[in-house]
Amino acid sequence: MSSVLTDLSRYPIVQAPMAGGASCPQLAAAVGEAGGLGFLAAGYKTAGGMYQEIKQIRGLTDRPFGVNLFMPQPATADPSAVEVYSQQLAGEVSWYETPLGDPESGGDDGYEAKLAILRDDPVPVVSFTFGCPEPEVLASFARAGTATVVTVTTPDEALAAERAGADALCVQGVEAGGHQGTHRDDPATDGAGIGLLTLITLIREAVRLPVIATGGLMRGDQIAAVLAAGASAAQLGTAFLVCPESGAHTLHKQAMTDPLFVRTELTRAFSGRPARGLVNRFMREHGPYAPAAYPQVHHLTSGLRKAAAKVGDAQGMSLWAGQGHRLARELPAGELVEALAAELAAARAEFAPAARAVAEGPAAPGGPGAAGDTAAGTAAPGAARAPGEPPEPRRPGRAPEAPSTRLPGVPS
């Protein structure tokens, strides 16, 4: 891994911060104890609630961990569009016998108060989603000894994070479950997300910051693929959501492999921002009408989602999931980290011979010492020369030695 991330975990495996309860202290601590990097999700929590979780995880492990913050959102939502959507949800209000929430409950997610706590009592890593902090914010964390990571979904966002002074990037492909961490929510770009492997390459050619790759990753060989593409680590969310330590609702966990839920889609139905989840009734009925209004729609539907969970109705819940959800394994978090690490090691071992062959380049026709060479009285490549004898000139058509293409972590 990159020097920014080297001392944080034994394996290049990061547990994604999943807002809404899944990324609880028990999950993050178990991941850290097993050799990964666990994350707490401060999104939708009060500053005090975030601090209580930090104290809890410190009581569970002495391993490094991270905290993720949501950036404050600009006031760009159209109130009339939110009002129209609230009328669209009238049937849900009747069905669940629950009123809609106040769409103007707040758009900054307690950002400044959370920053103050994290500066006063630093944690090893702080990451940011839905935008890039000002340079002074990132500089203040650097002075406190905290590494900073900014979630990006395009090369332009990566450039902005690099200019602001971020230590690393969390590069999120369109395959990822939950909210797309775009810096600007523009409905004109809906559906224009970039796949993870392509995005890694685009961003590595644009900036020089270390990359944590995320989006649809569920197996160790997928981790090997993103490391080979140039990432320093891989971040997994859906894979850890079903672990017993996860704070996700039982119905959410069960839905990951339930044959009733056959695919995922990006939707604004639950929050007003594009987020990938399992397609259910609520998404089908309301997704086409949901406005670009985050966090207003999130606050509006909050009570409905809680009511659906309370009565055991997965069709009314926000079932965030990545495209690889059907590969979920109900393992304890520590066992999952070990399984992923073993799969990664096996994939690297399988790739190693091919990588060495590419690095060594093509063999000469007939192989070293072929009859054509010896018959002509020419020493085979690499054969000893008499003292003072000039080196053999390269024959026409022989390619120079290929540069090494050794995979990250694969011994040559």
Side-chain angles (χ1 to χ4, degrees):
M1 287 191 284
S2 161
S3 59
V4 177
L5 308 170
T6 299
D7 298 331
L8 297 175
S9 62
R10 185 189 328 151
Y11 303 125
I13 298 171
V14 180
Q15 165 249 312
M18 295 171 281
S23 296
C24 58
Q26 293 76 14
L27 177 61
V31 170
E33 285 292 306
L37 178 63
F39 256 91
L40 298 176
Y44 308 139
K45 292 184 174 69
T46 64
M50 177 196 75
Y51 187 54
Q52 289 303 314
E53 289 204 344
I54 291 173
K55 291 200 295 185
Q56 287 181 46
I57 193 173
R58 285 173 172 160
L60 295 170
T61 182
D62 59 1
R63 298 298 304 155
F65 64 93
V67 175
N68 175 257
L69 301 181
F70 286 172
M71 293 294 297
Q73 298 300 289
T76 57
D78 179 356
S80 63
V82 175
E83 175 59 29
V84 169
Y85 191 56
S86 68
Q87 296 172 14
Q88 164 78 21
L89 297 175
E92 304 291 343
V93 171
S94 298
W95 180 255
Y96 293 115
E97 299 180 338
T98 300
L100 296 175
D102 178 6
E104 301 304 327
S105 298
D108 69 351
D109 202 49
Y111 178 71
E112 292 295 338
K114 292 172 183 176
L115 287 181
I117 290 173
L118 293 169
R119 286 168 177 148
D120 290 343
D121 192 359
V123 300
V125 191
V126 172
S127 67
F128 300 87
T129 301
F130 302 149
C132 182
E134 294 295 322
E136 176 49 35
V137 171
L138 297 175
S140 69
F141 280 117
R143 291 191 293 269
T146 296
T148 53
V149 181
V150 174
T151 304
V152 299
T153 63
T154 67
D156 285 344
E157 292 175 354
L159 286 165
E162 184 178 53
R163 287 193 295 266
D167 292 313
L169 305 173
C170 180
V171 173
Q172 185 192 44
V174 72
E175 305 95 332
H179 285 95
Q180 291 287 291
T182 51
H183 291 192
R184 178 172 174 266
D185 182 18
D186 181 0
T189 63
D190 283 2
I194 304 173
L196 181 58
L197 287 176
T198 298
L199 187 59
I200 292 171
T201 303
L202 289 170
I203 286 177
R204 288 191 70 242
E205 293 191 1
V207 302
R208 300 181 62 83
L209 293 178
V211 164
I212 301 171
T214 190
L217 305 177
M218 302 291 288
R219 294 286 190 267
D221 51 2
Q222 292 175 298
I223 297 174
V226 297
L227 296 183
S232 296
Q235 178 173 286
L236 295 79
T238 304
F240 285 106
L241 185 142
V242 299
C243 293
E245 298 91 340
S246 160
H249 194 283
T250 300
L251 289 175
H252 194 169
K253 295 180 180 183
Q254 294 172 346
M256 293 299 103
T257 53
D258 187 336
L260 182 65
F261 301 101
V262 297
R263 61 191 175 89
T264 65
E265 280 186 6
L266 289 168
T267 185
R268 294 179 183 272
F270 296 102
S271 70
R273 220 181 202 279
R276 184 174 297 282
L278 299 175
V279 177
N280 61 4
R281 177 194 60 78
F282 195 102
M283 188 186 297
R284 286 192 298 269
E285 292 183 2
H286 303 298
Y289 310 101
Y294 178 87
Q296 288 83 357
V297 172
H298 165 78
H299 295 314
L300 196 70
T301 66
S302 177
L304 297 176
R305 289 179 276 121
K306 291 176 182 177
K310 186 175 181 179
V311 299
D313 183 9
Q315 295 295 333
M317 298 169 60
S318 53
L319 304 173
W320 303 140
Q323 287 184 340
H325 65 94
R326 299 200 61 83
L327 298 172
R329 295 174 280 192
E330 296 182 28
L331 296 174
E335 290 184 22
L336 179 57
V337 170
E338 294 294 345
L340 292 167
E343 292 164 358
L344 170 60
R348 283 172 158 173
E350 183 178 351
F351 295 158
R356 284 196 292 270
V358 172
E360 292 166 0
D373 284 338
T374 55
T378 304
R385 297 189 298 273
E389 181 180 353
E392 175 192 1
R394 192 192 309 151
R395 293 192 295 273
R398 175 181 289 181
E401 184 176 354
S404 173
T405 57
R406 182 165 60 90
L407 298 174
V410 178
S412 57

